[in-house]
Amino acid sequence: MNKQNMTKLNNVTDYKCGYAVILARPNTGKSTLLNFITGQKIAITTPTAQTTRKQIKGIYTSDNCQVIFIDTPGIHKPLNKLGEYLTQQAIDAIEDADVVIFMADVSSKAGKGDYWIVENCLKNINKPVIIAANKVDLIRDEIKKEENIISYKTLFDKNYPVIKISAKTGKNVEILLDEIKKHIPKGVPLYDEETITDQNMRMIASEVIREKIILNTKDEIPHSVAVLIDEYKTEGNMDKIKATIFVSQDSQKGIIIGSKGQMLKKIGTDSRIELEEIIEGKVYLELFVKVKKNWQKDKNALRMLGYEE
C-alpha cells in the first residue's frame, strides 16, 4: 500500500479490516458474487459445477472498511484426491474468516449437498454466519421462494440472518455488504485501495484458459482438465505465454484439439482475446495438450498442477 493511501485510511480511527469466506455447494454463484463486489472479473464463471478449484481473494475497499473475500471451491463429499483438496481449501478458509457467507441457490430447496456442508464444515464453528439467498431473480412464485429459503434456514440450529440477493444483477448486494461489515473487526487495511485480487497473471492466465475449455467443450471435459503455465514472460509490449492443457483420457485430448485443430484454435483465440483485455496489451499464446492418466487421483500430478501444498 502506498504511503499516501495508508496515511489516509489510518487516520480513520474506526476503520475495519477482515476476512469473509463465501461457502456453498458447487454452482451457486459464489464467483459471480465476488466479481460483482469487486467490479471486475477475477474469478471464472461457467454453468458447470466445480469451476472454482482454488481459493481466490477478492478485495473490497470502501472509505471505512476493507473486506477480503475468499471465494472457495464448491464443497461436496470428495470422491478423489482432487475432491479432498477442494474441500480442505474451503475448510481452511473458514478457520481464517471473521464471517462466513453461506450461499444458497433458492431457485430450489436445500438438498443433500447443502446438508453435508453444514454437518461437516459449519456445525461447530464459533463464527457469525450470513445466509445469502441467491438467484431470487429466477423464481417468481413468492410462496415457493419463501419455502425454499426456510429449507436452508432449518439446516442450522441458530437463527442466522438471511439476505435475498441476485449475484447476477446485483440486487441487494449492498445490503449484504452492510451485514458483512457488522462482523468485520477494527484494523488497518492490508491492501492498497486499488488492489482487487491477490492473483498474479500466471494464475489468471491458467484460469482464463480453463474457463474457455469448459465453455467450448460443455459437459465433455470440465472435471478432467487442468492447465499449467509453462512460461510467462513480457517482451516489449507483448506478454508471451506457453501453457499445457492436461486431460485424463486419450479421447479427451481429441476433443480438446478438435477436427484439424479447430477446437484448440478456438480455445486459444478466446483465451488470448480475454487476456489482452485484462492486461490492456498484446498477448502471444501457445497451447499444448497432454494426457496424464487419472491425474485427479495422483498426488504427484496434483502437486505439479498446483492442487497440493
Side-chain angles (χ1 to χ4, degrees):
M1 171 169 288
N2 65 52
K3 291 182 179 179
Q4 182 180 0
N5 287 335
M6 179 67 82
T7 301
K8 179 178 71 174
L9 293 173
N10 284 348
N11 284 336
V12 184
T13 57
D14 60 348
Y15 199 87
K16 291 182 169 185
C17 182
Y19 290 84
V21 61
I22 309 172
L23 202 70
R25 59 179 165 81
N27 207 25
T28 56
K30 301 185 309 306
S31 298
T32 302
L33 176 64
L34 188 64
N35 290 342
F36 185 89
I37 289 172
T38 59
Q40 290 190 37
K41 180 178 177 179
I42 63 172
I44 66 174
T45 58
T46 77
T48 304
Q50 288 187 29
T51 296
T52 302
R53 284 187 179 167
K54 296 182 180 181
Q55 287 185 15
I56 296 172
K57 289 187 179 72
I59 296 100
Y60 164 87
T61 304
S62 65
D63 290 339
N64 58 6
C65 187
Q66 185 173 86
V67 184
I68 298 125
F69 287 92
I70 304 174
D71 180 23
T72 61
I75 299 179
H76 60 90
K77 188 175 181 179
L79 302 176
N80 52 37
K81 289 292 182 183
L82 177 61
E84 291 174 7
Y85 170 83
L86 300 183
T87 301
Q88 192 60 48
Q89 285 271 293
I91 292 172
D92 290 345
I94 295 170
E95 294 180 4
D96 296 331
D98 296 297
V99 58
V100 175
I101 298 101
F102 176 76
M103 283 195 73
D105 177 357
V106 296
S107 64
S108 60
K109 289 186 177 181
K112 291 181 179 179
D114 301 288
Y115 178 80
W116 193 91
I117 292 171
V118 172
E119 288 296 307
N120 291 275
C121 303
L122 298 176
K123 188 75 172 180
N124 299 310
I125 67 166
N126 187 27
K127 296 178 185 289
V129 175
I130 301 167
I131 301 173
N134 191 32
K135 303 189 182 182
V136 292
D137 53 315
L138 299 183
I139 181 167
R140 298 186 181 278
D141 188 327
E142 290 297 324
I143 294 176
K144 187 175 181 181
K145 185 187 298 182
E146 290 304 316
E147 288 176 349
N148 291 354
I149 290 172
I150 290 171
S151 74
Y152 286 96
K153 289 188 69 174
T154 54
L155 291 173
F156 298 92
D157 296 331
K158 298 179 182 179
N159 187 27
Y160 292 125
V162 177
I163 311 295
K164 302 173 188 177
I165 69 165
S166 168
K168 185 176 181 180
T169 67
K171 180 178 180 179
N172 293 338
V173 171
E174 282 295 331
I175 296 173
L176 175 62
L177 280 169
D178 288 340
E179 186 66 30
I180 291 167
K181 290 176 184 178
K182 293 177 183 178
H183 305 287
I184 299 299
K186 288 185 179 181
V188 297
L190 300 176
Y191 294 90
D192 187 280
E193 61 184 344
E194 283 82 27
T195 301
I196 61 166
T197 184
D198 67 334
Q199 291 193 92
N200 59 40
M201 277 310 301
R202 291 180 76 97
M203 294 169 60
I204 291 171
S206 172
E207 289 293 271
V208 166
I209 295 165
R210 191 164 65 86
E211 179 189 54
K212 303 313 175 190
I213 294 167
I214 294 172
L215 292 174
N216 279 287
T217 60
K218 309 303 182 190
D219 295 329
E220 297 174 281
I221 294 295
H223 304 302
S224 303
V225 70
V227 177
L228 181 67
I229 303 300
D230 302 306
E231 184 178 280
Y232 193 117
K233 60 183 179 180
T234 301
E235 294 183 357
N237 64 344
M238 179 175 287
D239 283 14
K240 294 187 176 181
I241 307 167
K242 292 183 179 180
T244 300
I245 300 167
F246 286 90
V247 292
S248 60
Q249 305 292 336
D250 290 320
S251 59
Q252 294 163 351
K253 181 177 180 180
I255 293 170
I256 293 282
I257 294 173
S259 176
K260 297 181 180 179
Q262 289 303 304
M263 177 58 76
L264 187 61
K265 183 178 180 181
K266 178 72 162 54
I267 291 166
T269 300
D270 291 352
S271 301
R272 178 182 55 76
I273 290 171
E274 178 151 336
L275 288 169
E276 287 183 336
E277 291 176 357
I278 292 170
I279 69 165
E280 297 181 345
K282 292 293 183 182
V283 170
Y284 173 80
L285 177 61
E286 203 171 354
L287 297 178
F288 307 90
V289 186
K290 291 184 180 180
V291 178
K292 186 74 175 176
K293 297 285 187 180
N294 298 316
W295 64 264
Q296 306 99 315
K297 300 177 181 179
D298 184 337
K299 288 193 72 172
N300 290 329
L302 288 169
R303 188 175 296 112
M304 177 189 70
L305 294 167
Y307 295 120
E308 287 282 354
E309 298 298 335

